[in-house]
Amino acid sequence: MVEILTQNTKLLKDYLKTVDTRLEKPHIKYGEILEEVKDKTRTYTIPIIGDVEVLKYRPGDMIYSSTTTILDEEEKVLSFSVPEKANKQQTSFMKDFHMQVLQENISNLNKEVDDFNNKL
């Protein structure tokens, strides 16, 4: 996983070399998260504001979470699914835990965006 993070950080830095304007940090629109239940799976669709381009450089499988997050740049959303558990608390914990990790991941990318914007 460290190798993936190092590679993604390098790719982000390479991408930032091609940008000549300030970037708007990506943020989750918490009030607009959609939840869909289908075939014992809960799928969460998370709208993002800001420049979603930088989110391509985060790992799809994030540290400390076995759930894969998919980025749809065109729709400006992230989505992930968790299996519906018999115990609703387990399902809720899995979702909350992944959302926390996702927010940390975006916050780390935002630090890179801040550094970039400060250099312009």
Side-chain angles (χ1 to χ4, degrees):
M1 182 56 80
V2 172
E3 185 176 310
I4 291 170
L5 286 173
T6 303
Q7 180 182 13
N8 284 5
T9 301
K10 182 186 178 327
L11 291 172
L12 174 61
K13 289 183 187 290
D14 289 346
Y15 163 70
L16 291 175
K17 289 177 187 175
T18 68
V19 177
D20 59 359
T21 60
R22 292 179 63 82
L23 295 172
E24 184 182 345
K25 295 186 288 188
H27 295 282
I28 294 173
K29 294 170 81 174
Y30 281 100
E32 298 180 25
I33 295 173
L34 300 176
E35 178 180 22
E36 180 182 338
V37 180
K38 184 177 179 182
D39 298 326
K40 297 192 179 202
T41 301
R42 287 187 180 272
T43 301
Y44 299 91
T45 303
I46 306 157
I48 304 292
I49 55 174
D51 288 311
V52 297
E53 180 80 15
V54 296
L55 295 178
K56 288 194 312 189
Y57 303 102
R58 91 221 180 302
D61 295 321
M62 295 178 291
I63 296 177
Y64 309 120
S65 181
S66 60
T67 305
T68 299
T69 304
I70 299 166
L71 170 65
D72 181 337
E73 284 182 77
E74 196 171 293
E75 296 292 324
K76 289 186 136 186
V77 296
L78 292 167
S79 62
F80 69 92
S81 298
V82 294
E84 183 74 27
K85 301 287 187 184
N87 181 337
K88 298 271 186 222
Q89 286 180 318
Q90 281 183 309
T91 303
S92 180
F93 173 78
M94 289 173 65
K95 178 207 119 196
D96 293 346
F97 181 75
H98 188 74
M99 285 297 298
Q100 178 185 357
V101 173
L102 178 61
Q103 182 59 58
E104 288 175 21
N105 196 266
I106 290 173
S107 294
N108 288 336
L109 282 172
N110 284 341
K111 291 174 189 170
E112 295 285 342
V113 171
D114 280 340
D115 289 347
F116 171 78
N117 285 338
N118 289 335
K119 290 177 184 174
L120 283 181

